[in-house]
Amino acid sequence: MKSIKYFIQSDKFNIPIAVKAWVKTFRNDRFIAVNDGSTIQNLQLVINPENFDEALLKKINTGAAISAKGELVESMGKGQRVEVLVDSLEILGESNPEEFPIQPKRHSLEFLREKAHLRPRTTLFGAIMRVRNALSFAVHKYFQENDFLYVNTPIITGADAEGAGEMFQVTTLDLNNIPKTDEGTPNYKEDFFNRKTNLTVSGQLEAETYAMALGKVYTFGPTFRAENSNTSRHLAEFWMIEPEVAFMDLAGDMDLAENFVQYIIKYVLEHNLDDLQFLEMRLKNEEKQKPANERSELSLIEKLSFVLDNNFIRLSYTEAIEILEKSKPYKKKKFKYPVAWGVDLHSEHERYLVEKHFKSPVIIFDYPANIKAFYMRLNDDGKTVRAMDVLFPGIGEIVGGSQREERLDVLLQKMRDLGVDEKELYWYVDTRKFGTAVHSGFGLGFERIVQFVTGMSNIRDVIPYPRFPGNADF
Ligand code: 4AD
Ligand code: MG
């Protein structure tokens, strides 16, 4: 069966068609707007009530699944190009209007989060999920067109790739009766994998071993962080895209990140314009509630076009600190977190640089070594590493990446300094023993780019079933 998307675009009229879809609205006993998810646009079905039983008409409620057959014609009415003159109509699944929570009116995002299993029935969530789908397709398209190989790195692992310890443990041990070692600690020898394991926080380390053989690779998979961050930009389970490229340095890494992000945004602008127009309108209405000085100067589509038309501004961490130290909010003590060379930048600092100072996406590189992970390449100054973060308006950090430390002795020293067990990661160290080479990569948080493209302010609204502290429903 062809989807509604196909009929909406049809330039063939007076042809018989059949559709199965869900009722959005039913007006004047005559006009049924239905949607099957293939497009944001509803298809208008026109019925002559005299031809149908009263009992059947009563069942045409918002949310009901119906099947209709009729003739596709050019519409006389305003608001749609085509409509269907219905000959036969069948209710496939009823929807009790007293109970169905998704009524044709505005619902709050908080309310819809509690109804996460039904929120895809709304126009808004349909649009978000089609944009999400297009973005993930564009991710694969970009890498495949550029000769990257898609590798699937393990989800259960013994390694802590980021060395931050924010991991969910995976175990089949009986928590009521944990086997103990002589020292009284849990005996993981008796666990499923005969060792302690966790859900991955990043596929990077494994991806590196593949890049050191296959040249250009990328992962695109679920990632887990047990950080207790109850923010609008953090999830406990999110999807990350991690390209890793042999013989590429940090400058190449920044070029790749910029080119890749621009490509996937362009793809969505070209393929999902109607969804974006809806999201733009929603955002405009939402902005009206805000005080004038907090409203965004650019509309959603202008913002996306801006990212395509302008190069990302690149500056070192040291330069970023200098700008922040001269900034108004710093002088007026408006920043919550301290600004000084050596401290990690917080989202308030990142957003000041991106939204107020440069008004453009920004890439900051060469961060202090001691605030970044062990695998980043040490610069000749001995205190900074070849790291880079891409910062976006409204989001802050969207990409984190680096040139990797390819020198065996330096890597081992850094692992010792940062307390990373080199025996445990012997396989990672091996890549530096056998045919080591300059290589680089980055991670793009998929939900963060979906947030940026859809203009949704909370990351929980751009993934079907968000996982965050205190919530794993559905
Ligand atoms: O900066 P991160 O922690 O970098 C890494 O994991 C590296 N191993 C990537 C690499 O070089 N291959 O995470 C990368 C990106 C962040 O920039 C952010 O967009 C996203 O992942 N991210 C999250 N997104 C949602 N919820 C969270 N809790 C996230 N933590 C990171
Ligand atoms: Mg990061």
Side-chain angles (χ1 to χ4, degrees):
M1 186 183 293
K2 289 206 170 100
S3 51
I4 286 179
K5 179 181 175 181
Y6 172 87
F7 296 126
I8 295 277
Q9 295 165 349
S10 174
D11 42 22
K12 274 198 229 127
F13 298 110
N14 309 101
I15 49 169
I17 72 159
V19 285
K20 289 182 180 167
W22 291 272
V23 174
K24 286 283 195 178
T25 58
F26 183 29
R27 294 186 293 122
N28 304 347
D29 278 350
R30 209 166 263 276
F31 303 107
I32 315 170
V34 297
N35 190 282
D36 66 358
S38 62
T39 159
I40 195 161
Q41 296 179 59
N42 297 331
L43 183 63
Q44 172 152 287
L45 308 180
V46 186
I47 60 168
N48 179 349
E50 282 158 27
N51 299 344
F52 296 92
D53 275 358
E54 189 121 341
L56 182 132
L57 296 180
K58 280 220 170 75
K59 291 180 183 164
I60 307 175
N61 295 313
T62 301
I66 65 172
S67 167
K69 291 196 174 105
E71 192 187 348
L72 186 72
V73 298
E74 216 165 342
S75 177
M76 297 298 169
K78 273 203 292 191
Q80 65 279 322
R81 266 183 73 237
V82 302
E83 60 192 20
V84 180
L85 304 179
V86 176
D87 312 318
S88 74
L89 188 68
E90 195 189 332
I91 308 288
L92 302 175
E94 292 180 39
S95 176
N96 182 341
E98 255 90 82
E99 289 176 26
F100 186 54
I102 311 294
Q103 291 303 321
K105 61 162 198 170
R106 200 187 163 278
H107 295 290
S108 77
L109 294 170
E110 291 76 15
F111 172 82
L112 291 174
R113 241 169 262 151
E114 281 164 21
K115 307 272 181 266
H117 59 305
L118 293 171
R119 66 181 185 174
R121 305 284 188 97
T122 63
T123 309
L124 174 61
F125 279 84
I128 295 168
M129 290 306 150
R130 276 185 300 273
V131 168
R132 185 181 166 107
N133 167 70
L135 280 168
S136 69
F137 182 71
V139 165
H140 286 293
K141 195 160 151 38
Y142 177 84
F143 287 123
Q144 295 297 325
E145 282 172 0
N146 287 287
D147 299 328
F148 283 69
L149 300 184
Y150 179 38
V151 297
N152 302 110
T153 48
I155 291 171
I156 300 174
T157 170
D160 176 7
E162 291 303 297
E166 291 162 333
M167 298 173 299
F168 290 100
Q169 194 174 336
V170 176
T171 181
T172 54
L173 292 179
D174 178 0
L175 296 185
N176 292 314
N177 186 16
I178 301 173
K180 294 280 169 69
T181 62
D182 293 344
E183 288 85 53
T185 55
N187 186 1
Y188 291 111
K189 290 260 172 329
E190 289 188 30
D191 205 346
F192 188 90
F193 296 106
N194 305 124
R195 58 166 301 154
K196 195 175 174 188
T197 51
N198 50 269
L199 295 176
T200 186
V201 294
S202 158
Q204 178 197 321
L205 303 189
E206 291 92 347
E208 279 187 55
T209 65
Y210 267 67
M212 296 312 283
L214 304 176
K216 296 203 270 185
V217 301
Y218 70 106
T219 71
F220 185 177
T223 314
F224 307 86
R225 305 244 170 131
E227 53 193 338
N228 209 351
S229 301
N230 244 317
T231 79
S232 59
R233 298 171 311 112
H234 287 87
L235 289 165
E237 176 182 294
F238 62 101
W239 288 66
M240 189 161 31
I241 296 132
E242 295 184 277
E244 192 69 35
V245 183
F247 314 116
M248 184 178 77
D249 64 8
L250 188 72
D253 203 32
M254 293 194 271
D255 291 342
L256 178 66
E258 181 168 343
N259 195 252
F260 162 63
V261 169
Q262 287 179 329
Y263 177 95
I264 63 176
I265 293 175
K266 184 158 181 254
Y267 182 88
V268 177
L269 271 171
E270 283 169 2
H271 292 84
N272 292 67
L273 195 59
D274 50 3
D275 290 319
L276 292 176
Q277 280 162 343
F278 174 83
L279 291 162
E280 170 166 289
M281 201 178 66
R282 187 202 78 91
L283 204 58
K284 264 193 194 135
N285 289 334
E286 196 166 82
E287 295 248 313
K288 279 188 201 143
Q289 324 288 333
K290 291 188 192 165
N293 62 341
E294 281 177 30
R295 282 179 213 157
S296 163
E297 288 160 28
L298 301 180
S299 74
L300 181 64
I301 293 171
E302 283 168 347
K303 211 172 65 176
L304 300 180
S305 308
F306 181 87
V307 171
L308 299 187
D309 299 339
N310 293 280
N311 293 336
F312 299 0
I313 286 164
R314 299 181 190 189
L315 73 159
S316 70
Y317 168 90
T318 303
E319 290 168 302
I321 292 291
E322 282 165 12
I323 291 170
L324 289 169
E325 281 174 341
K326 287 186 199 134
S327 71
K328 252 198 210 148
Y330 177 77
K331 288 183 179 154
K332 290 189 172 168
K333 300 199 166 39
K334 288 270 164 67
F335 287 135
K336 209 171 130 211
Y337 293 94
V339 176
W341 201 97
V343 303
D344 208 355
L345 297 180
H346 282 82
S347 126
E348 57 177 353
H349 310 131
E350 298 175 341
R351 293 185 63 171
Y352 171 81
L353 292 168
V354 171
E355 289 161 29
K356 296 278 183 317
H357 189 82
F358 290 111
K359 297 190 195 301
S360 158
V362 165
I363 311 183
I364 300 183
F365 58 88
D366 285 354
Y367 281 83
N370 55 1
I371 58 169
K372 290 288 185 186
F374 73 94
Y375 50 70
M376 298 185 180
R377 194 183 196 279
L378 194 63
N379 279 314
D380 292 342
D381 63 12
K383 53 178 195 172
T384 60
V385 284
R386 303 245 81 191
M388 64 104 177
D389 279 359
V390 181
L391 313 178
F392 261 38
I395 308 284
E397 178 188 339
I398 197 157
V399 165
S402 62
Q403 184 174 323
R404 319 307 188 187
E405 183 54 76
E406 84 285 11
R407 299 163 295 184
L408 179 64
D409 52 337
V410 184
L411 180 69
L412 289 174
Q413 189 56 49
K414 285 193 74 187
M415 289 172 90
R416 272 174 228 134
D417 292 348
L418 293 168
V420 180
D421 190 343
E422 63 190 79
K423 279 201 202 80
E424 190 82 344
L425 282 183
Y426 76 92
W427 51 273
Y428 183 72
V429 174
D430 266 2
T431 55
R432 275 64 172 175
K433 286 188 187 161
F434 310 117
T436 191
V438 165
H439 63 288
S440 305
F442 62 79
L444 168 72
F446 187 55
E447 284 72 22
R448 294 214 180 150
I449 188 84
V450 182
Q451 252 191 297
F452 179 73
V453 173
T454 57
M456 297 303 291
S457 53
N458 196 320
I459 198 164
R460 296 172 188 178
D461 297 327
V462 299
I463 187 166
Y465 294 106
R467 300 286 176 252
F468 51 90
N471 186 292
D473 288 347
F474 306 100

